[in-house]
Amino acid sequence: MRTIDTVVREWNESVMPTFERFIAAVDDTQSPVPEEFFEVGFSYSGCPLLGFLDPKALYCALEEYGGLSAAQKHRVEGVFFAYLEKWGLVLRKLAIRYGIHEKTVAMENRLRTYVSGIRKSAVCRQDVLGGTTFEAYSALQNAFREIGAAVHEAEVCGGGSAAAEGSALRAVQSAPRREYERYCMTSQALAELFGVDRKTITRWKSERSDWADMFRAMRQSAEGMRRLVPEYQRYKRENRIKGLRGRTGYDDAVNYDRRRMDR
């Protein structure tokens, strides 16, 4: 049976080293990226990068979470934070090399939603994925298969326009960039887009939270940011409604989003 200790050991001994080899392969622009990194099977029958998230095995391990000490919980949280960071790095490098930004953004969105759902199931006992965990895992695998197919097509065709776009992006990114230029838009523009103040945007650039993680994952993509906005606004609405339902006298028939006419 898979345990928390097994999950941590798999990360250290198998998954993290595979990530490092994958990153090195993507960085080596003189050679094609080996297809072994794009093999997706059930659990560990393919590349372990997605097998690590196999829902059946993972849920068995996370059943132990509630009984862990604070230090042990912090250790587990650190593994999943590092896992998402590595995936973000791999996907950004693939997007730059092959010009497949739309596919990598879609993959990263699915990945973060899935990991966030698994995490909240264990930590908060909330079924965030709505009973569709296996479907979400399958969709995640399919998104990665699409990336593998796009990479293979680019390699077979000698790169084509995708490689040209990747070269141009690498040239831009190789130039020195100031700290505030790491994001696709200014803090003020992002604040207006999300409907928050600039302090919130500044916090999202560095804090560890689900929304901050998703925000940083989209930082090189203006389109990705725009797709993230409705998700954030829906999240805010749902939390506001939950808060209102806890108040005395809440009435489902009342539209609390409208301003009162006597103000």
Side-chain angles (χ1 to χ4, degrees):
M1 177 183 289
R2 202 176 185 197
T3 65
I4 287 288
D5 285 340
T6 306
V7 168
V8 174
R9 186 169 64 251
E10 286 171 356
W11 164 253
N12 289 323
E13 297 178 1
S14 177
V15 181
M16 185 167 59
T18 303
F19 267 125
E20 296 301 334
R21 291 190 295 108
F22 196 0
I23 291 168
V26 179
D27 284 340
D28 181 10
T29 56
Q30 302 303 311
S31 305
V33 178
E35 292 188 11
E36 66 180 89
F37 292 111
F38 299 100
E39 293 174 0
V40 177
F42 294 100
S43 191
Y44 276 76
S45 60
C47 182
L49 300 185
L50 283 182
F52 185 68
L53 293 181
D54 177 83
K56 187 175 181 180
L58 201 56
Y59 267 125
C60 290
L62 293 180
E63 281 294 313
E64 303 176 23
Y65 189 88
L68 299 179
S69 67
Q72 290 171 318
K73 288 180 179 179
H74 181 72
R75 185 185 181 203
V76 175
E77 291 277 315
V79 165
F80 283 98
F81 180 76
Y83 179 79
L84 288 175
E85 288 288 297
K86 290 292 186 184
W87 261 121
L89 180 59
V90 166
L91 293 172
R92 284 192 293 275
K93 286 178 176 290
L94 285 170
I96 290 169
R97 178 169 175 178
Y98 295 103
I100 51 174
H101 295 271
E102 187 174 342
K103 284 182 170 56
T104 55
V105 166
M107 164 74 182
E108 190 152 18
N109 282 340
R110 288 186 183 279
L111 180 69
R112 290 183 179 277
T113 298
Y114 180 82
V115 172
S116 175
I118 293 289
R119 176 182 173 275
K120 287 183 178 177
S121 294
V123 178
C124 310
R125 296 300 176 185
Q126 292 180 280
D127 187 4
V128 177
L129 296 172
T132 61
T133 305
F134 287 91
E135 290 87 343
Y137 183 59
S138 178
L140 182 59
Q141 290 177 310
N142 288 335
F144 192 53
R145 285 190 184 97
E146 290 184 11
I147 291 175
V151 168
H152 178 71
E153 182 179 355
E155 295 285 7
V156 169
C157 298
S161 59
E165 183 184 347
S167 298
L169 283 165
R170 283 194 298 276
V172 171
Q173 293 215 346
S174 64
R177 305 187 72 189
R178 296 180 183 177
E179 186 72 10
Y180 65 82
E181 290 176 327
R182 289 183 304 157
Y183 297 86
C184 62
M185 302 164 69
T186 65
S187 291
Q188 184 58 44
L190 287 167
E192 292 172 3
L193 187 66
F194 282 88
V196 299
D197 56 30
R198 287 186 61 179
K199 287 183 179 178
T200 300
I201 297 299
T202 301
R203 190 178 74 247
W204 283 352
K205 290 180 180 181
S206 60
E207 75 173 357
R208 286 183 59 177
S209 71
D210 291 336
W211 277 108
D213 286 347
M214 286 188 283
F215 176 87
R216 289 196 298 274
M218 298 294 104
R219 64 186 178 185
Q220 301 296 341
S221 168
E223 181 58 32
M225 284 291 184
R226 293 188 185 95
R227 275 188 267 178
L228 192 58
V229 168
E231 295 295 322
Y232 176 70
Q233 292 173 340
R234 181 166 64 249
Y235 162 79
K236 287 206 304 184
R237 285 196 301 272
E238 289 173 353
N239 276 295
R240 185 165 183 267
I241 292 298
K242 287 177 184 176
L244 290 170
R245 288 186 186 280
R247 296 179 185 174
T248 303
Y250 178 84
D251 186 348
D252 283 317
V254 176
N255 182 358
Y256 288 95
D257 288 325
R258 294 180 58 186
R259 294 187 61 182
R260 287 178 52 179
M261 299 302 292
D262 59 345
R263 288 188 179 178

